[in-house]
Amino acid sequence: MIEAVNLTKYFGSILAADHINATIRSGSVFGLIGTNGAGKSTFLRMAAGVLRPDEGVIEVDGVSVFENESVKKKFFYISDDQYFFGNAVPADMMSYYKLVYPAYDETRFHRLMKDFGLDEKRKINTFSKGMKKQLAVICGICAGTDYLFCDETFDGLDPVMRQAVKSIFASDMEERQLTPIIASHNLRELEDICDHVGLLHKGGILLSKDLDEMKMNIHKVQCVLRPGMKPEDLVGVELLKTERRGKLLTLTVRGDLSRVEFVMQNAEPVFYETIPLSLEEIFISETEVAGYDIKKLIF
């Protein structure tokens, strides 16, 4: 488990991380959402022990990270701007990481390089941005660590490679309880892989919730109500948003699904159906209730 308590970081007069409190459970996928400059990279760099917090603490499995070599062997950090040795080839990076991570899987490294179509003996500085991202993921996944910190890992990958990387993450989560922490500015990238999502804005976490809990508690209902009936007459559910197209209403409501169904059936509408919400729609609803407009924060 990773736990941050009042985690704060300044760069001069700029507040990059503002008293962040977060708990990341082992074996889950934690998505960190936010615009450029929201504090995602700063948070990950403190989690990886690259930066020392000015206030607060971040612990991995109950132990502080900064300047703690034994704890750093438990995670691999894939930065947004990957660093490789000058004039190195992928095989050189593998040899280096084998010295750092005792559980490094060399056999798997060779297999994944072949599967991704990457040449182990080609100089990395001749790789494209996407190829460098693929290599960084391969190096990280083969390290055999408990945690994988990913900063905009899917940025620069084509759709096929994105799904391939997600499949690898899912496989390692099932087989060895890998815990990926993925920072991204794109909600859609994380929808099909994350268990828990935190929204960062101006260095602080606005919202941090379990996705299953969120999905079970917010629903979209399309309906045509009886003549003279208004959405506000649907007593028993919390109405978050109403959209109208002619007679067709699209309602975003908060409440248990069984309760929503009960209320809609008792209202005897001309027509109704419940529709699953996307992660983007859920976050828009949650942040609007909290007084923020996620469309202005993320998109």
Side-chain angles (χ1 to χ4, degrees):
M1 183 175 74
I2 298 174
E3 187 169 16
V5 179
N6 292 325
L7 200 63
T8 304
K9 184 66 182 178
Y10 288 88
F11 294 110
S13 61
I14 299 172
L15 180 59
D18 186 6
H19 297 87
I20 294 174
N21 291 284
T23 300
I24 302 172
R25 304 187 307 270
S26 297
S28 66
V29 184
F30 188 92
L32 199 58
I33 304 294
T35 54
N36 294 330
K40 305 185 303 296
S41 296
T42 300
F43 175 82
L44 287 183
R45 290 166 71 190
M46 287 190 287
V50 176
L51 296 176
R52 183 200 295 269
D54 292 321
E55 297 177 33
V57 65
I58 185 162
E59 296 181 341
V60 174
D61 295 337
V63 181
S64 181
V65 176
F66 191 75
E67 293 188 346
N68 191 326
E69 184 178 337
S70 61
V71 175
K72 290 184 178 182
K73 291 181 180 179
K74 291 188 174 185
F75 57 77
F76 192 101
Y77 173 40
I78 303 175
S79 66
D80 184 21
D81 186 16
Q82 301 85 36
Y83 173 79
F84 301 104
F85 297 138
N87 292 319
V89 299
D92 296 330
M93 299 307 302
M94 179 202 68
S95 299
Y96 168 73
Y97 287 127
K98 280 181 63 179
L99 298 175
V100 179
Y101 298 101
Y104 202 91
D105 191 338
E106 181 177 352
T107 301
R108 189 181 189 191
F109 176 86
H110 294 309
R111 185 177 73 250
L112 287 175
M113 289 292 291
K114 183 177 180 180
D115 291 344
F116 277 70
L118 299 177
D119 185 350
E120 292 184 28
K121 297 184 178 181
R122 175 178 166 180
K123 287 189 177 182
I124 300 171
N125 58 21
T126 67
F127 281 13
S128 67
K129 177 181 178 180
M131 293 167 70
K132 290 177 180 177
K133 281 284 178 82
Q134 294 170 44
L135 175 59
V137 169
I138 292 172
C139 288
I141 207 73
C142 292
T145 56
D146 297 331
Y147 304 94
L148 193 62
F149 300 151
C150 306
D151 193 355
E152 301 289 359
T153 297
F154 301 116
D155 186 28
L157 297 179
D158 63 56
V160 174
M161 287 302 171
R162 289 175 192 167
Q163 289 305 315
V165 170
K166 290 179 181 179
S167 295
I168 291 173
F169 285 179
S171 175
D172 277 56
M173 288 181 63
E174 183 177 352
E175 292 177 5
R176 61 182 185 86
Q177 289 293 293
L178 172 69
T179 304
I181 297 89
I182 306 173
S184 177
H185 61 275
N186 192 333
L187 277 168
R188 297 178 185 88
E189 290 291 0
L190 303 183
E191 182 162 10
D192 60 348
I193 190 172
C194 286
D195 305 307
H196 195 105
V197 176
L199 174 62
L200 266 177
H201 180 57
K202 294 184 178 179
I205 288 188
L206 294 183
L207 187 70
S208 179
K209 288 197 174 184
D210 186 270
L211 281 189
D212 287 338
E213 176 187 332
M214 292 170 70
K215 289 179 179 178
M216 289 175 63
N217 200 43
I218 298 182
H219 310 279
K220 183 193 291 185
V221 179
Q222 284 192 333
C223 61
V224 176
L225 299 178
R226 289 182 285 108
M229 190 175 188
K230 302 176 182 178
E232 294 76 15
D233 297 330
L234 297 171
V235 179
V237 295
E238 181 183 353
L239 187 63
L240 301 179
K241 188 175 182 180
T242 302
E243 296 178 18
R244 181 186 293 273
R245 290 185 180 179
K247 293 183 178 180
L248 180 65
L249 292 171
T250 301
L251 310 176
T252 303
V253 299
R254 188 194 302 276
D256 181 79
L257 180 58
S258 60
R259 179 64 180 170
V260 173
E261 293 277 4
F262 176 78
V263 170
M264 293 306 301
Q265 289 171 8
N266 279 358
E268 298 181 345
V270 176
F271 158 82
Y272 91 91
E273 66 174 343
T274 56
I275 303 172
L277 275 79
S278 67
L279 176 58
E280 179 181 316
E281 290 173 317
I282 291 172
F283 257 69
I284 288 172
S285 300
E286 289 282 10
T287 52
E288 285 178 345
V289 169
Y292 297 94
D293 185 353
I294 194 174
K295 289 175 284 189
K296 292 181 180 179
L297 303 181
I298 298 291
F299 307 108

